[in-house]
Amino acid sequence: MGMILANASTLIGRSLRGLRDLASRLGADRGGNVVMIFALVMPALVMITLGGIDLNRITTVKARVQDALDAATLAAARSSYTDPSDLQKVAVVALRANLRGASVEPFADSDVKIVLTKDQVVIADMRVQVKTLVANIVLPPYGKLMDDTLPVNVHSEVNRSSKDIEVSLVLDITGSMGGNRIRDLKNAANQLIKLVVQPADKQTPYYSRMAIVPYSIGVNLGSWADGARGAPIDDTAITNASWAAAAAKSISGVTRATPGVVTANGHGLTTNDYVWISGVGGMTQINDRAYRVVRIDANRVSLQYQSGGAWYTLNTNSGYSSYSYGGQIRKCTRSDCYVTLTSRNHGLSEGEGVDISDVRGMTALNNTNNGLYEVYERPSTDTFVLPVGGAAYADYSGGGSVQCGRDGCAIRIFRDAQYNRLTVFQNTTCVSERAGSAAYTDAAPGSGSYVGRNYASPRNPCPSATIQPLTSNIGTLTNLVNGLSVTGSTAGQIGLAWGWYAISDRFNRLWPSNTAAAYEPTKVLKAVILMTDGEFNTPYCGGVIARDAGSGSGNYYDKIACDATNGDPFDQAAKLCDGIKAQGVIVYTVGFSINQGSDAARILSSCATDKDKAFLPQSGADLSSNFQAIGRDITRLRISR
């Protein structure tokens, strides 16, 4: 306004000086006609000069009114209203706020006309009066050139929405999110849902849908898990188990000699047969070992033991007690007397962990090591060998099953990273990273491109909240958010991956009732919002948390004795971000209570589509404000006049 007045003053001064010069020249002219003409024209010249000042001022004011109407129309378009009276109320509130202090006369609500066309364009028209500064001066004999005010008409149009919206909200529900943090997150997420997802009656002609991906050690897919990772491999039936090739024979004596001689009447053995000796009294050092025999006669044999792959004569003359009573000698099917089991098409490999259960007769198989073993040999597709055997394993009488323990089976049997002991974890409906060539793509899950399974420790469990695919049902989304509970460590790379998958049409067969549109940026706005409160510390090897996982990822004895297949979780996230953005998907990141200079902050900043889409809220109020800013950014509309 000060600038306008200064310009007006300058213009008036210049005009008055020109009129004064003209008057001086005319005054010097002695011709009567000239004086008369000057007297008549002088007032008109003054009014025209001063009126130009007002026209310049009105043009400036009109520009401000136009900006105010644009903003008001945009506010009305962002609302969910369709009735003109409701749209007008929203627009008028914005107008009065934006025109406060402007050089316009008070206006009535009726001066603002606003409608919504069938093509979802909000059209607004407004008429205001602008008070003139000098052009209403009375100059006899002509009176006023213009009124005290002049009308200003402005027009604005806003395309309410030109694209469908598909957004995935990836939420950190790890243990560190407990207390006030999870309450703040729920509040902020609910506000975001209401900003992004329109009510059911406002889903045409353009829809707005959201998916929610809660994550901690992984993402829980619930009933969709098998479709994403493949069905787990179940157990196979055991039809036979044996280590002995003949019935046991009673021992009646063992000499202390070189070699020691065992007496067992009618033993039925031949040289190079393998036997197991047990139950000998006195000379107990001979018990519970496998031997090779040298036949002496029908009732006697000498023994050989194996060491370093070679066989040596057993010398019982030194270091052995004297025989006193009893004992048995029994022929074995193998040199080590290990148990060979039969299970048709078992699919096992050497070194693979297995769980044996429900065997009858040879019940020690069920009880030893809690039924956990590693396959020693795989003679055929139907047989396998366990590194146990001998007299403690009674004759098999029927039944039993063997459950494989490799990645892909219903359970995972592995050696832990701390004690190197056999450990078993159950398969869950959570998933881990995808390995191989499809690791950082949104390729459809299937043979060769399944995502990783997740065998979770009871001490770091799979979260109970399951993923929600794209939906426009606000109640479904808010109910999920309100029911979230915290647990586990942080596998943000897995949450991010599923944020991508949830809006990818390549995953549509996984949830055919909640399909995503194809990547068409001119028709569909797709966005991923990744929220976390800390470092990504939970990578996997073979479906179990890797030994090189971060310190916050649980006990070392709950981790498998191998390094992460895909490497550092933040490196994984960076590659996923590149893949997501390459598809034209907008990425927002929210680091809740994360330090500005931390690795997490740097990764989140580089992951976002641009810097103004990366947020580091430090309080619950900040989180709500940032989520609202994201919601407004997603639903922002472009003005078209």
Coordinates of all heavy atoms in Angstrom, one line a residue, residues 202 253 300 337 497 570:
K202 N -17.3 -40.5 -2.2 CA -16.5 -39.5 -2.9 C -15.4 -40.3 -3.7 O -14.4 -39.7 -4.1 CB -15.8 -38.6 -2.0 CG -16.8 -37.8 -1.1 CD -17.7 -36.9 -1.8 CE -18.5 -36.0 -0.9 NZ -19.3 -36.6 0.1
G253 N 32.3 -114.2 27.7 CA 33.7 -113.9 28.2 C 34.4 -113.0 27.2 O 34.2 -113.0 26.0
R300 N 33.9 -117.7 18.7 CA 34.9 -116.7 19.2 C 35.3 -115.7 18.0 O 35.4 -116.2 16.9 CB 36.1 -117.3 19.8 CG 35.9 -118.1 21.1 CD 37.2 -118.7 21.6 NE 37.8 -119.5 20.5 CZ 39.1 -119.8 20.5 NH1 39.9 -119.3 21.4 NH2 39.6 -120.6 19.6
C337 N 27.7 -98.5 12.6 CA 26.4 -98.9 13.3 C 25.4 -97.8 13.4 O 24.5 -97.8 14.3 CB 26.7 -99.5 14.7 SG 27.8 -101.0 14.7
A497 N 10.2 -52.9 1.3 CA 9.9 -53.7 0.1 C 8.4 -54.0 0.0 O 7.8 -53.9 -1.1 CB 10.7 -55.1 0.2
F570 N 20.6 -51.3 5.5 CA 20.5 -50.0 4.9 C 20.9 -50.0 3.5 O 20.3 -49.3 2.7 CB 21.3 -49.0 5.7 CG 20.6 -48.3 6.9 CD1 21.2 -48.1 8.1 CD2 19.2 -48.0 6.8 CE1 20.6 -47.5 9.2 CE2 18.6 -47.4 7.9 CZ 19.3 -47.2 9.1

